[in-house]
Amino acid sequence: MAHAVAEAVQTGEHLLVQAGTGTGKSLAYLVPAVVHAQRSSRPAIVATATLALQAQIVDRDLPRLADALQPVLGRRPTYALVKGRRNYLCKHKLEGGYPDDDEGLLSVGEVDSAAGRVGQEVVRLREWADETESGDRDELVPGVSERAWRQVSVSARECLGSKCPMVQECFVEQARAVAKDSDVVVTNHAFLAIDAFEGRHMLPEHDLLVIDEGHELVDRVTSTITDEIAAGSVAGAAKRVGRLAETEALVDAGEGLGQALGQIAEGRVLNLPEVLVAALGRVRDTSRDLLSELKSQGSGEGDGGRQMARAAVQELFDMAERVLEQRELDVVWVSEDPRRGPVLRVAPMSVAMLLRDAIFDERTVVLTSATLELGGTFDAVAGQLGLRGEGGPKWRGLDVGSPFDYPQQAMAYVAQHLPAPGRDGMSGQAFDEIEALIRAAGGRTLGLFSSRRAAEAAAEEMRARFGDEIPVLCQGDDQLPTLVRQFAADGPTCLFGTLSLWQGVDVPGSACQLVIIDRIPFPRPDDPLSSARSQAIAKMGGNGFMAVSATHAALRLAQGAGRLVRRSTDRGVVAFLDSRMMTARYAGFLQRSLPPFWPTTDRTLVLKALGRLDATAPEVVGVDTPALRGVGGGAPATPAPDAPVPDAPVATPVADSARTAVTDGRAWSEEDDEELRDGADMGLTVEELADHLDVSAEQVSARAGQLGLALEG
């Protein structure tokens, strides 16, 4: 793989590399990337989808690699981590350049017994601000609540940029200056998309881009450029404007939008109703008028406050105008939020041409993942990335294989005797099959289900059948990292769940010797984006089902089946309870997307194999508990020389805390509840809190409702 990356750098031909778990793919692209950076005097950019892999590269892989390459290259390679502006402390805001989100918090001079937790945190942030050299939130240990951090940070749109009186002391500008002179700059897919599509030039100039976890790129980019608006969004912007301008017209426009959205059924909006066009037109026009008024006020002592107001109103204007333009590739839909009411969303049907023009046009791109070759070819993924079709750039696909002997280490078992899954839930025959498999395996089972309802139903049924003999955990019983840790620490324990478990969970060893997949994970038929994409492809004469639904399912199946073999010593069975894996016309496509396990439909053979594995199973391995990053000045932690370098991030458990409730499968702790209360007090939106807590907006809304909190849209 390293040689292939080096060749791509030399020829300028884009490279898609499928590299299975255990390959060491990060080392394979980092070595040629460092060499190229030092020869060209331009940094190489590495973008990941997850924070876990980002941390692994910066804290583990690059420090060791720099030590190894220094005597070879003559100097130690350098590297930097680039994040969004909200991750850094803003000195201008600390000095009073912006209005307080919570009046009086930033003016707290001394903490006393009457000061609340947030007040104490802000005082601590002020003290830390005098000491920190980076202003990076991750280096503050222990951390602070989102509410407190908001008092000392600004978003990209709220930033004054070159007009800021403290731009020379800005932590963000300093970090980006360091990145400009580094050999390797590590960032994430979302930041990469914003830099490329919005032209902000936050990343240094480069001619080599490596995209790890490449199977996630299309979804991450789509999410980044998806917009939404609700009545609460308009009210929140009006609140931001405050006394800087008259907001009555904007408030009225927001109420009108809420009424218009209330008349539209959930789902895709193919033709904008007149009532919605009129409501969005009022939002757009009043936003434009306010922007003109705020701009005409010029600069002065309140620049920070005006910039925050402009940013909030600009977002309204941009969203309303985008929907009203009715762009050919945009998909518009309405979804109902338990707390915010109806929300209007818009997303691109395809990002292929955007990626071709903004990502692949002016640099060499190496895109890698353990799952890029679907149905035995790279064509599906390449098409989504904009690499195929007329005018597409040169590229090639390479499968470097895996160090694992998949046919010897694992079986792929299809329960062909079961009826095809229906819409009425899991059949009694399927429950019998699950019980037989788990009993033969002695527990040791990760159950991957297509829906939360299916996972919970299976867990309830198995608990009734097993009693105390085999513990069954289910996603939503507790925090997911806690459940993963419990599962990995006890052989007989089983863990059932949905999407979060299909990828990113790494439990090596004998704790996981059976992976059960209940059905082929097709996208929901009512998903607006998937259905729009399928219809568009069908209109052009293509097979919408194979291009969208089957490709989506193949990727998820490959990710899910990949949970089984994480080390060369792992053994086990992936059991598919969906007979369509053998009988459907698309079965071959799905099968070719899986790791090359030994295939079988022989139930007796599988049960005996699981029994033998259980009888000879070694002690469970458990999961690692990573050290806190940034302790002692934020220097990357260097592991012991003989420490293993996993190809995929290990599950990262968090500290246990008292559980207060479970909503929509999400367990809440006292600390989480406090964060929600803080967010409600300071006017944070549901989306902002969902992003901060890494949960869905629906889960935030549900818990907020239980606590009696009113969150903004």
Side-chain angles (χ1 to χ4, degrees), residues 253 470 620 688:
I470 298 177
V620 296
E688 288 171 333

Side-chain angles (χ1 to χ4, degrees), residues 51-317:
L51 293 176
L53 180 56
Q54 195 176 81
Q56 176 191 310
I57 291 171
V58 173
D59 292 350
R60 188 181 302 187
D61 296 346
L62 278 169
R64 300 177 70 197
L65 193 62
D67 290 340
L69 291 181
Q70 183 173 1
V72 180
L73 298 176
R75 74 169 175 86
R76 182 178 175 82
T78 56
Y79 51 92
L81 181 61
V82 171
K83 307 176 182 180
R85 192 169 292 273
R86 183 64 86 174
N87 293 282
Y88 296 91
L89 182 148
C90 173
K91 287 189 174 182
H92 187 45
K93 192 166 189 178
L94 267 177
E95 295 299 322
Y98 289 82
D100 294 355
D101 287 338
D102 274 340
E103 188 174 348
L105 276 181
L106 278 177
S107 62
V108 175
E110 295 182 0
V111 63
D112 55 33
S113 58
R117 179 175 66 86
V118 176
Q120 296 178 34
E121 287 181 332
V122 172
V123 171
R124 181 163 155 254
L125 281 168
R126 279 189 162 281
E127 295 171 348
W128 176 69
D130 293 332
E131 303 168 0
T132 178
E133 295 182 0
S134 70
D136 185 344
R137 183 179 183 177
D138 284 346
E139 295 186 8
L140 180 64
V141 179
V144 296
S145 66
E146 180 68 9
R147 180 181 177 188
W149 185 254
R150 291 259 171 175
Q151 311 310 310
V152 299
S153 64
V154 296
S155 69
R157 283 198 171 189
E158 294 167 348
C159 175
L160 295 172
S162 59
K163 296 179 181 179
C164 178
M166 304 191 73
V167 66
Q168 298 300 322
E169 305 170 48
C170 177
F171 287 124
V172 176
E173 298 305 320
Q174 292 172 1
R176 290 176 185 170
V178 171
K180 186 177 180 182
D181 295 327
S182 299
D183 295 318
V184 177
V185 176
V186 182
T187 188
N188 57 64
H189 291 181
F191 192 91
L192 174 69
I194 293 170
D195 183 76
F197 299 144
E198 298 186 12
R200 295 187 187 174
H201 305 294
M202 299 174 291
L203 291 171
E205 286 189 19
H206 57 279
D207 54 14
L208 174 61
L209 168 64
V210 178
I211 301 175
D212 205 338
E213 299 176 307
H215 64 280
E216 292 270 14
L217 181 65
V218 169
D219 285 344
R220 299 281 174 148
V221 168
T222 301
S223 177
T224 300
I225 54 180
T226 295
D227 290 324
E228 65 175 45
I229 191 171
S233 311
V234 184
K239 184 178 177 182
R240 281 285 190 193
V241 174
R243 291 187 290 270
L244 293 171
E246 176 56 52
T247 60
E248 184 178 355
L250 185 62
V251 172
D252 290 344
E255 293 174 355
L257 176 64
Q259 293 170 2
L261 290 175
Q263 301 176 39
I264 302 173
E266 266 193 289
R268 187 179 177 191
V269 181
L270 288 171
N271 298 299
L272 296 184
E274 289 185 12
V275 64
L276 182 58
V277 171
L280 287 171
R282 286 188 64 196
V283 172
R284 178 197 58 196
D285 295 343
T286 53
S287 297
R288 182 196 291 120
D289 293 343
L290 265 178
L291 286 171
S292 298
E293 184 175 349
L294 291 169
K295 186 176 181 180
S296 68
Q297 294 175 5
S299 59
E301 191 175 342
D303 255 3
R306 264 193 293 276
Q307 185 66 25
M308 293 178 76
R310 289 175 190 164
V313 178
Q314 185 70 55
E315 287 185 12
L316 292 182
F317 176 81

Side-chain angles (χ1 to χ4, degrees), residues 317-352:
F317 176 81
D318 291 345
M319 171 59 179
E321 186 174 53
R322 176 179 177 181
V323 176
L324 288 171
E325 284 178 358
Q326 301 188 58
R327 302 173 188 172
E328 183 180 0
L329 286 180
D330 267 352
V331 178
V332 179
W333 72 96
V334 173
S335 56
E336 189 70 28
D337 185 278
R339 295 290 298 174
R340 304 167 64 199
V343 180
L344 185 68
R345 294 186 166 92
V346 57
M349 183 185 301
S350 169
V351 295

Side-chain angles (χ1 to χ4, degrees), residues 52-53 56 60 446 479-489 495 500-501 503-508 563 566-567 622-627 646-654:
L53 180 56
Q56 176 191 310
R60 188 181 302 187
L446 179 65
Q479 305 278 10
L480 186 57
T482 302
L483 294 174
V484 171
R485 184 170 62 245
Q486 292 174 358
F487 170 57
L495 175 59
S500 299
L501 296 180
Q503 53 187 348
V505 171
D506 189 358
V507 180
R563 299 308 97 202
R566 312 303 295 173
R567 294 183 178 180
V623 294
D624 294 339
T625 302
D647 187 61
V650 176
T652 53
V654 297

Side-chain angles (χ1 to χ4, degrees), residues 344-362:
L344 185 68
R345 294 186 166 92
V346 57
M349 183 185 301
S350 169
V351 295
M353 296 310 295
L354 288 172
L355 290 172
R356 177 190 289 188
D357 295 340
I359 300 294
F360 291 93
D361 188 38
E362 297 181 353

Side-chain angles (χ1 to χ4, degrees), residues 413-422 424-438 449 458 461-462 465 516-518 575-579 603 607:
Y413 163 61
V414 178
Q416 192 173 359
H417 60 284
L418 294 179
D424 299 327
M426 196 167 291
S427 66
Q429 292 168 280
F431 283 140
D432 292 342
E433 188 75 8
I434 293 174
E435 179 187 4
L437 289 166
I438 292 177
F449 294 83
E461 181 70 20
M462 291 307 111
R465 297 189 182 202
I516 293 176
I517 296 177
D518 70 327
F576 301 93
L577 306 188
D578 193 332
S579 57
R603 184 174 188 264
L607 294 178

